[in-house]
Amino acid sequence: MNQSGQKSEAILDAALPVFVRHGFRKTSMADIARAARMSRAALYLSFSSKEELFRAGSARAHARAMRKVEAALAGDGDVFSRIETAIAAFQRELVAPFAGSGDAAELFETNMALARDVTLAARAELVALLAQALTNAQATGAITLDALRATPADVAAIIVAAMEGIKDAQVAGHDLLEDTRLFLRLLRKALSR
Amino acid sequence: MNQSGQKSEAILDAALPVFVRHGFRKTSMADIARAARMSRAALYLSFSSKEELFRAGSARAHARAMRKVEAALAGDGDVFSRIETAIAAFQRELVAPFAGSGDAAELFETNMALARDVTLAARAELVALLAQALTNAQATGAITLDALRATPADVAAIIVAAMEGIKDAQVAGHDLLEDTRLFLRLLRKALSR
DNA sequence: GACGATTAGACAATATTCGTCTATCTGTCT
DNA sequence: AGACAGATAGACGAATATTGTCTAATCGTC
């Protein structure tokens, strides 16, 4: 990685806990500069605006999350446990860090406003990866979708949609891990032959 | 308590965690109003400004703390354990709630700027109460101050000054409880006959 | 309906923040 | 030494946010 890239990484590392602590709106560039131990002007050498800085942070988090998801789906175990691990990784990277924030809702909202494309792309890739895993499992006879009259892509989309809903409910007080595990038990039962 | 007093109490209850979370500067009256589930205008029915609201909160916290301190000094045990309990109560009421705030330094600074009188008065009362306890202990022969060539008031002032220093060190990363206990062991040793 | 408390919303006066710019400083390279 | 790139403090106008005040409308209780 080049020097400016390293600097950008350091800035994002410093900015994340500040955003988590105060939310996007209440976080000023001065706050981020202080956390990154550099001048406010230096931030603008790496990012052209507070919004672009946030976008870069979101993009990096999504890229990291997708690498973890790919690793999980390529791992050991049956298709359900691989999916469970993948989803856990996705949530650990993109939901859990903000869950205790108090401004979690504002941060997710800001993310959809400023980094909608990145977010939707990652979500689409997650659907595609899950669909591929389900297709493989179907080919080996590990699962059956016949009774559901659904394609692997349909099921993958439902899984991701449910994760989104569970994330939102968690902001409203529900327990993320518990709700996720319940949904995956439900999935296992529905797809077992 | 009258109705407006109850309303004020409810506002301060709601405002405290907001101040702890975001510090004084980053907390807006809109934030407090939202936390107290009332309109921003209603806050001004109870308090004439954000600064006065903070002052009232500080005054209430100090009053509560002093009640706990008096109860502790009137309790059981030898003079050292009563003093230890009293100081623990003082810190639990006035330091610990802000210790994890990240903006703890800013809050203490704001407190000295806006509620200096209340704070100094409470500190003075704490010194007086400790001095009285030491005087009584001296009269019963439980402690001796002869070798120190100091009055009870002198020793009480030193104790409170040390507590302040330990509080400041704690903001800088030291452990409040541990440092306090060490100081009190030191005190016990120095005053035992 | 009368009454007091509360609200949403508008308002001017401040205060804060953003993004930009300049002058200055600090290393590094030659 | 001088040239150079990166960083800094500080100032700046413009855009936003916040404060404290006010009014008109609403709510709940008598």
Side-chain angles (χ1 to χ4, degrees):
Chain A
M1 180 176 303
N2 58 37
Q3 291 138 335
S4 77
Q6 283 179 21
K7 185 59 82 177
S8 296
E9 293 291 312
I11 292 172
L12 296 183
D13 288 339
L16 177 60
V18 185
F19 280 132
V20 166
R21 179 157 197 79
H22 294 301
F24 179 79
R25 197 175 114 71
K26 273 191 187 298
T27 295
S28 70
M29 291 297 264
D31 293 333
I32 296 172
R34 198 178 316 118
R37 301 169 168 279
M38 65 181 64
S39 70
R40 199 169 62 86
L43 296 180
Y44 288 93
L45 299 179
S46 295
F47 302 100
S48 68
S49 72
K50 180 178 163 186
E51 298 196 352
E52 200 212 291
L53 191 157
F54 185 93
R55 273 180 57 83
S58 180
R60 189 181 71 158
H62 279 89
R64 282 182 179 176
M66 293 318 299
R67 283 203 300 274
K68 299 279 177 80
V69 165
E70 287 167 11
L73 289 176
D76 294 334
D78 68 13
V79 64
F80 296 112
S81 72
R82 293 202 311 277
I83 288 178
E84 178 158 7
T85 307
I87 286 174
F90 192 80
Q91 290 176 334
R92 190 168 49 248
E93 297 291 316
L94 295 175
V95 182
F98 312 94
S101 166
D103 301 280
E106 188 237 336
L107 283 168
F108 289 134
E109 194 178 341
T110 301
N111 180 65
M112 281 311 278
L114 302 183
R116 169 180 289 266
D117 52 349
V118 170
T119 304
L120 296 185
R123 213 176 283 176
E125 193 191 341
L126 177 60
V127 171
L129 289 171
L130 292 176
Q132 187 59 55
L134 291 170
T135 298
N136 294 345
Q138 195 178 26
T140 65
I143 63 170
T144 177
L145 304 179
D146 298 344
L148 290 175
R149 293 190 306 280
T151 67
D154 291 338
V155 176
I158 288 293
I159 294 173
V160 174
M163 290 308 104
E164 281 304 308
I166 288 172
K167 179 188 83 174
D168 295 345
Q170 168 254 189
V171 170
H174 263 249
D175 184 73
L176 183 71
L177 291 178
E178 201 175 329
D179 286 3
T180 302
R181 288 208 191 91
L182 169 57
F183 177 78
L184 288 169
R185 288 200 301 278
L186 184 152
L187 186 74
R188 184 186 287 267
K189 195 123 188 175
L191 301 189
S192 292
R193 18 181 331 115
Chain B
M1 180 176 303
N2 57 38
Q3 291 138 336
S4 76
Q6 284 178 21
K7 185 59 81 177
S8 296
E9 293 291 311
I11 291 172
L12 296 182
D13 288 338
L16 177 60
V18 185
F19 280 133
V20 167
R21 178 157 200 79
H22 294 301
F24 179 78
R25 191 168 164 288
K26 273 190 186 296
T27 295
S28 70
M29 292 296 266
D31 292 333
I32 297 172
R34 197 176 318 117
R37 302 170 167 280
M38 64 182 64
S39 71
R40 199 168 63 86
L43 296 180
Y44 288 94
L45 298 178
S46 295
F47 302 101
S48 67
S49 72
K50 181 179 163 186
E51 298 196 352
E52 200 211 292
L53 191 156
F54 185 92
R55 273 180 58 84
S58 180
R60 188 182 70 159
H62 280 89
R64 281 183 179 175
M66 293 319 297
R67 283 203 301 275
K68 300 279 177 80
V69 165
E70 287 167 13
L73 289 176
D76 295 334
D78 67 13
V79 65
F80 297 111
S81 73
R82 293 203 310 276
I83 287 179
E84 178 158 8
T85 306
I87 286 174
F90 191 79
Q91 290 177 334
R92 190 168 48 249
E93 297 291 316
L94 295 176
V95 183
F98 311 95
S101 165
D103 300 279
E106 187 236 333
L107 284 167
F108 289 134
E109 194 179 341
T110 301
N111 180 65
M112 281 311 279
L114 302 183
R116 169 179 289 268
D117 53 349
V118 170
T119 303
L120 295 185
R123 213 175 284 175
E125 193 191 342
L126 177 60
V127 171
L129 290 170
L130 292 177
Q132 186 58 56
L134 291 170
T135 299
N136 294 346
Q138 195 178 25
T140 64
I143 64 172
T144 176
L145 302 180
D146 298 342
L148 289 175
R149 293 191 306 280
T151 67
D154 291 337
V155 175
I158 287 293
I159 294 173
V160 173
M163 290 306 104
E164 280 305 307
I166 289 172
K167 180 188 84 175
D168 295 345
Q170 168 256 187
V171 169
H174 263 249
D175 184 72
L176 184 71
L177 291 178
E178 200 175 330
D179 286 3
T180 302
R181 288 208 191 92
L182 169 57
F183 176 79
L184 290 169
R185 288 200 301 277
L186 185 151
L187 186 74
R188 181 185 290 265
K189 194 121 189 178
L191 302 190
S192 291
R193 23 179 329 118

